[in-house]
Amino acid sequence: MPIFEFRCLQCGNLFEKLFINPKEEVELKCPECGSESLDRVISKANAVMGSGKGGKKPRLTSKSCSPGSSCHTLEIPGAGD
Ligand SMILES: [Zn+2]
């Protein structure tokens, strides 16, 4: 299961987000201060996944889904085949 690690640019809090559904849209916010200014941290789990199918890495895309908040979608190569 893909786990992404994020660091809050606002307060420096480090937290993990587990993506159960690859196509699920999730709202990513810092659990501490609620900021959406996040930096993605490359963790071990990502390195393992990156060595999978064709060496393609899961991609996290963000878009705004409603005013004032953004949604993130995780795309895993090969998962939709
Ligand atoms: Zn924060």
Side-chain angles (χ1 to χ4, degrees):
M1 239 171 257
I3 297 175
F4 284 87
E5 211 173 334
F6 297 91
R7 184 192 297 117
C8 176
L9 299 177
Q10 191 92 8
C11 70
N13 179 42
L14 206 66
F15 65 98
E16 288 177 343
K17 177 76 185 173
L18 175 70
F19 287 82
I20 296 165
N21 258 315
K23 293 294 177 187
E24 184 189 15
E25 288 190 349
V26 293
E27 216 176 293
L28 270 177
K29 279 182 186 175
C30 170
E32 288 294 321
C33 70
S35 168
E36 291 177 22
S37 303
L38 306 171
D39 200 15
R40 209 180 114 197
V41 181
I42 306 300
S43 68
K44 260 190 203 171
N46 288 334
V48 170
M49 287 196 63
S51 63
K53 261 188 181 177
K56 285 181 183 172
K57 293 189 170 97
R59 218 177 46 192
L60 193 66
T61 54
S62 25
K63 62 175 184 180
S64 41
C65 53
S66 60
S69 69
S70 55
C71 280
H72 301 257
T73 309
L74 181 69
E75 293 176 28
I76 300 178
D81 294 347

